[in-house]
Amino acid sequence: MAANSRTLEIKVISAENLKLDRKSIKKNASVTVRTDTNSQFCTTDIDTEGGAHPRWNEKLVLDLPTHSKSITVEVHCKTSSGVRTIGTATVPASDFVGGYVPEGYLHFLSYRLRNHKGERNGIINISVRMKVPEMYACASSTTWSHSTMGFPAAGNKSFGGGVVTGVPVWYGSYQKNY
């Protein structure tokens, strides 16, 4: 993994209500996941049995550049006339990066697929996890060593100049009813 990218684990779980020319597909659906720079992509195996409700349960791994704003999920169907795109969904990186959840958190996401005309054409179900670099991963209990986590406290040295760790607390739990 390069310093200017993050490793992304995407599990393509399933899709629902897939249609091709307004008819439910019978078989041979696959999924391609791309970064918004199109520099990398991964593709699932073809589901030959699921019809309009295929299941893959397949994990794909991509290096996501740090400046990427989204990934694209495309569902394809292999037909007698070639491979056709059933639908596409754009997944904003903000849906699985940052926020109030820890790195490495597993996000389960579902997105509406749109065909080349922009019309609704099924739903894709995925899970996404940013892989945490080993240097930041928590140590297991068997390899525990004393380490300090948090932010250095600045300023007043009379309090030891130690480390401050913040824990989010819901304010409503501390309100008193008089």
Side-chain angles (χ1 to χ4, degrees), residues 11-175:
K11 185 171 188 178
V12 180
I13 301 169
S14 64
E16 306 168 26
N17 301 321
L18 300 180
K19 296 182 181 196
L20 193 58
D21 299 327
R22 299 187 190 269
K23 296 177 190 165
S24 293
I25 66 166
K26 303 289 185 217
K27 58 182 179 177
N28 298 335
S30 65
V31 176
T32 299
V33 180
R34 312 178 180 278
T35 62
D36 61 355
T37 59
N38 286 327
S39 61
Q40 275 201 20
F41 66 92
C42 290
T43 303
T44 64
D45 291 332
I46 293 175
D47 177 89
T48 57
E49 300 171 1
H53 300 276
R55 293 193 171 283
W56 295 276
N57 285 323
E58 193 170 331
K59 188 183 291 186
L60 307 174
V61 178
L62 285 172
D63 279 340
L64 183 71
T66 53
H67 63 277
S68 288
K69 297 189 184 329
S70 64
I71 59 172
T72 302
V73 180
E74 300 170 348
V75 180
H76 304 281
C77 182
K78 184 177 177 184
T79 65
S80 59
S81 60
V83 177
R84 305 226 354 234
T85 300
I86 295 173
T88 303
T90 301
V91 180
S94 60
D95 284 4
F96 53 85
V97 176
Y100 295 105
V101 294
E103 265 193 46
Y105 182 81
L106 182 62
H107 301 268
F108 287 92
L109 307 167
S110 296
Y111 289 91
R112 170 75 63 191
L113 294 167
R114 302 275 177 178
N115 65 14
H116 66 280
K117 295 178 184 175
E119 298 170 344
R120 295 176 176 183
N121 198 16
I123 294 171
I124 187 76
N125 302 304
I126 61 174
S127 67
V128 181
R129 177 191 323 244
M130 295 296 294
K131 286 191 76 173
V132 180
E134 286 187 34
M135 65 180 139
Y136 297 118
C138 292
S140 70
S141 59
T142 59
T143 60
W144 173 257
S145 64
H146 180 70
S147 64
T148 306
M149 293 175 50
F151 297 98
N156 193 344
K157 297 288 185 191
S158 65
F159 293 108
V163 174
V164 176
T165 302
V167 178
V169 177
W170 182 53
Y171 179 72
S173 65
Y174 290 104
Q175 289 181 331

